[in-house]
Every structure is written in C-alpha cells, then in structure tokens.
Amino acid sequence: MPPSPDSASRDETAAAAVAAEVSAALAAYRDHADVALLHERLGAVMERATPEQLAPAIEPFRDVPEAAGYVYEKIVAERPADARALVILANSYWLVGRGPDVVGELATRAIAADPLNRGAWHLWALTESNPRQRTERWRQVAARFPEDDLAKANLADNAASLAGAEHDYDALDLALETYEDLLARAAHPRQRAALQTAIAALKGWKL
C-alpha cells in the first residue's frame, strides 16, 4: 500500500531537517576544525535519523572522510549488505589512513553483496600490499570490467613498477600491452601524449 500524502510529506520534512542539521554541522566544522565536536553534532542527528535520511544528507560531503565515514558507520551497521554504503565507508577509511586490512575487508564484503560494484573491486585491488599480487588483482579487475580505463591504467602502472623493481620482462610486456590498449582508446590529445611518452620510455628500458 503506498504511503498517504500526509505520510510522504512528513517523511520529506524529516529528511529535509536531517539534511539541514548535517549541513550546519559541516559548515561549523569548516570554522572550528574540531573532529570531536563534529562527531558530537552528527551523533545527535544520527540518534534519531534513519539510514534513508542520512545517506542523502551526507552525500554532498563525501569528500570530508571524517564526516562521511562516521555517518556511514551507522548506515553500514543497519544495512550490512548495502554494497554502495560499504564502499563509501571503505573509501572514507582509506582516506583517513585506517589501513589496508580494514578497508580490504569492507571491500570484500561489498563484492560479496554486489559483484558488479566496480568501486569495491578497485578498493580490493588497491589495498593489496604485495606489488606482484596487487598487479594480479588489477589484472583481474581490468578483465572483469574491460571498459574500465582507470583499472587498466592502474594495471599498467603497477606492472611497470613491478618490472622495474624485479627486472621482470613479463611484467614489462604486460605494462606495454596495457598502455598500448589505452592509447588505442584515448581521444584526448594530452592523454595520448602522456601514454605515448610512457610507452616510449618502457620500450627503452634495459632490465
């Protein structure tokens, strides 16, 4: 049964109030830069707000990880299979330096919840500390999402780093192959120039 007009109006009013309070807390934070005070104000809102109200309220402040992460801790606690929420929380944790173990665990949970969430796969690859294994993870991501140029760029960069560090000709071939694939797809002149420079440099390497 659809909600009544009065009920929908009340929901919209409540959501607008939550958004206004979150916005006010972030505006004040820009002035005082006190994380504890920010969390105190956000916590007061979170005590009575639902995840459905909090998610759109914090959306404009995704680039403030100390705020987004704090709010998304509650959202994830109440919606543990929400892949998008898990990725946002993981990204916020990564930006504030929570470390690869915590972030990787959240990314793995997000992949399990939604195998098509590319953000989850990117974080899964990014959080691998071993260079060879990280390169292999990016290879898997690029294969899973063949139109994902960011994954290909990360694969190429990691393969090139691996080739230089370990004198690995297979990794060098992988880097060249991936950069050349990106070049074939690139349309922007600056992007093409950067890729051509990278390819020329790699072709001149003596491992």
Side-chain angles (χ1 to χ4, degrees):
M1 181 177 181
S4 68
D6 287 345
S7 175
S9 178
R10 286 194 297 272
D11 290 345
E12 290 175 4
T13 300
V18 169
E21 289 186 73
V22 169
S23 181
L26 268 295
Y29 177 60
R30 292 191 185 96
D31 294 329
H32 60 64
D34 185 330
V35 175
L37 181 56
L38 170 67
H39 287 179
E40 182 180 339
R41 291 191 63 171
L42 290 176
V45 181
M46 290 157 60
E47 284 182 0
R48 62 181 183 279
T50 66
E52 291 72 24
Q53 294 167 340
L54 288 169
I58 199 64
E59 185 68 25
F61 309 104
R62 291 260 305 275
D63 60 342
V64 186
E66 60 271 35
Y70 187 66
V71 171
Y72 266 91
E73 285 176 346
K74 171 173 178 168
I75 295 174
V76 165
E78 297 194 23
R79 299 200 307 220
D82 184 330
R84 184 173 184 273
L86 286 161
V87 168
I88 293 172
L89 178 58
N91 187 63
S92 296
Y93 278 178
W94 184 254
L95 292 175
V96 297
R98 284 291 296 270
D101 291 341
V102 173
V103 176
E105 189 270 335
L106 288 169
T108 300
R109 285 173 55 189
I111 290 169
D114 179 9
L116 297 180
N117 189 303
R118 282 193 288 180
W121 285 99
H122 279 224
L123 285 165
W124 172 75
L126 184 66
T127 53
E128 173 54 59
S129 58
N130 181 281
R132 184 170 296 279
Q133 293 178 17
R134 185 169 59 249
T135 300
E136 179 55 33
R137 285 192 179 192
W138 281 117
R139 190 205 296 261
Q140 292 181 48
V141 178
R144 181 176 287 271
F145 302 102
E147 302 303 313
D148 187 342
D149 285 351
L150 180 57
K152 288 181 182 291
N154 276 295
L155 171 59
D157 291 348
N158 278 273
S161 295
L162 180 63
E166 300 191 11
H167 309 288
D168 186 324
Y169 281 97
D170 288 337
L172 178 59
D173 288 344
L174 175 60
L176 279 168
E177 176 187 330
T178 308
Y179 280 133
E180 287 169 348
D181 181 47
L182 286 167
L183 179 60
R185 298 152 59 94
H188 195 284
R190 288 186 179 178
Q191 185 183 20
R192 291 185 61 83
L195 288 165
Q196 287 166 344
T197 299
I199 290 168
L202 289 179
K203 286 183 175 179
W205 278 15
K206 298 290 189 286
L207 299 181

